[in-house]
Amino acid sequence: MATHQVSREVVITVDDLKKAFGQNEVLKGITTSIHRGEVVCVIGPSGSGKSTFLRCLNLLEQPTSGKVVVDGVEVTDPDCDIDKVRADMGMVFQQFNLFPHLSVLDNCTIAQVTVRKSNKAEAEKRARSNLERVGLLDKEAAFPGQLSGGQQQRVAIARALSMEPKLMLFDEPTSALDPELVGDVLSVMRKLASEGMTMFVVTHEMAFARDVADRVIFMDGGYIVEEGHPDEVIGNPQHQRTRAFLDRVL
Ligand code: ADP
Ligand code: MG
């Protein structure tokens, strides 16, 4: 069961979001919202548009039409300062994208110094406190290549947290990991959720979605087919397409 508090304050509003790559319409009209403290898990078959949806939230993909508002700022407005919005959104990808030539500590400070304009001492203090949060304080001097995939992903989470984001986006954060390393990353994410972080998580980890999500969104073919409490969407799906997907993955 989700144990954290969800507020009524809306953090992200998505209104009739569409995205096409050439003739290929990948998002066909997505409307939803995410509240402060909410954990939303997005599930669905490969190619259903989950990553494109997540990437449209911070304009890593430019939507074709529709509106996305993050913390009161319309990011789909051409005049929006997207770098400012992005600084408040932590992102964790399937591939960890750490800087291989920088130590773990420097990976966690570089954006604080260059984007946030923090001084080095403050940045290191925040980095260490977040490395401690993910259980990797003892690795601060290591380089990414010396760490396991699970450890690298936890560093990527600590790096994102060091920017003190208002919300975190995760795109299949455990899909590239050996099975025995998945658990450590998921427990860090569970802890974040219990601490009240707003989280938008594309995942194939059904147990995580069932236990941690406040809401599950099932996507197929560029649409939200069904969304609701995990007990409903995963436990008692109403749509044939949701049932067919769950039969394949559960
Ligand atoms: P999912 O994350 O659910 O697997 P994606 O959002 O990655 O799905 O992809 C949905 C569809 O969009 C796929 O058909 C994919 O080929 C297409 N697509 C995604 N990114 C691009 C891109 N940059 N250029 C062209 N097509 C893309
Ligand atoms: Mg994807």
Side-chain angles (χ1 to χ4, degrees):
M1 271 309 283
T3 52
H4 50 275
Q5 291 287 314
V6 177
S7 109
R8 291 166 67 177
E9 181 193 347
V10 173
V11 184
I12 300 183
T13 310
V14 180
D15 186 16
D16 202 21
L17 172 67
K18 294 182 181 168
K19 172 65 182 176
F21 294 103
Q23 301 286 34
N24 183 13
E25 192 171 48
V26 170
L27 300 179
K28 298 176 179 165
I30 301 281
T31 298
T32 192
S33 54
I34 299 167
H35 296 78
R36 177 91 53 218
E38 193 174 27
V39 178
V40 176
C41 284
V42 182
I43 63 172
S46 181
S48 57
K50 304 179 301 293
S51 294
T52 304
F53 177 22
L54 177 139
R55 294 165 65 83
C56 281
L57 297 179
N58 61 2
L59 298 200
L60 289 179
E61 296 293 351
Q62 184 67 48
T64 308
S65 66
K67 199 163 132 178
V68 175
V69 179
V70 178
D71 236 343
V73 177
E74 185 184 344
V75 301
T76 37
D77 178 337
D79 294 333
C80 149
D81 179 358
I82 189 63
D83 291 336
K84 194 155 172 281
V85 179
R86 279 187 191 142
D88 286 332
M89 303 171 101
M91 277 214 70
V92 176
F93 302 91
Q94 185 172 333
Q95 300 303 336
F96 330 119
N97 302 328
L98 297 174
F99 297 111
H101 59 292
L102 294 182
S103 71
V104 162
L105 187 67
D106 289 346
N107 263 283
C108 295
T109 57
I110 185 163
Q112 294 188 67
V113 173
T114 58
V115 180
R116 280 265 187 252
K117 312 294 180 206
S118 303
N119 74 45
K120 191 91 200 257
E122 278 170 30
E124 290 187 350
K125 190 165 169 229
R126 263 196 297 272
R128 289 199 174 97
S129 101
N130 284 302
L131 285 170
E132 184 164 28
R133 246 166 131 182
V134 304
L136 289 173
L137 191 51
D138 59 330
K139 299 290 185 197
E140 67 165 67
F143 286 84
Q146 300 170 312
L147 303 179
S148 74
Q151 290 172 327
Q152 290 186 55
Q153 191 61 298
R154 282 147 64 202
V155 172
I157 294 172
R159 174 178 64 175
L161 291 173
S162 296
M163 294 292 279
E164 306 195 306
K166 292 181 182 156
L167 63 130
M168 291 280 288
L169 308 176
F170 294 87
D171 192 356
E172 298 199 32
T174 60
S175 293
L177 300 178
D178 291 334
E180 75 272 20
L181 303 177
V182 168
D184 286 342
V185 172
L186 292 180
S187 27
V188 166
M189 292 170 64
R190 281 173 194 266
K191 191 164 77 172
L192 269 187
S194 72
E195 290 166 1
M197 178 60 77
T198 308
M199 295 165 60
F200 185 88
V201 186
V202 176
T203 187
H204 292 293
E205 295 291 334
M206 291 303 140
F208 177 85
R210 206 173 42 219
D211 295 348
V212 182
D214 299 292
R215 185 151 49 93
V216 171
I217 292 178
F218 171 69
M219 280 183 71
D220 195 12
Y223 291 105
I224 292 179
V225 173
E226 159 159 35
E227 66 178 309
H229 193 274
D231 290 348
E232 293 156 17
V233 177
I234 297 176
N236 184 26
Q238 298 303 302
H239 291 261
Q240 174 51 32
R241 284 198 279 174
T242 320
R243 284 198 288 269
F245 171 75
L246 291 169
D247 282 345
R248 287 199 302 274
V249 299
L250 285 180

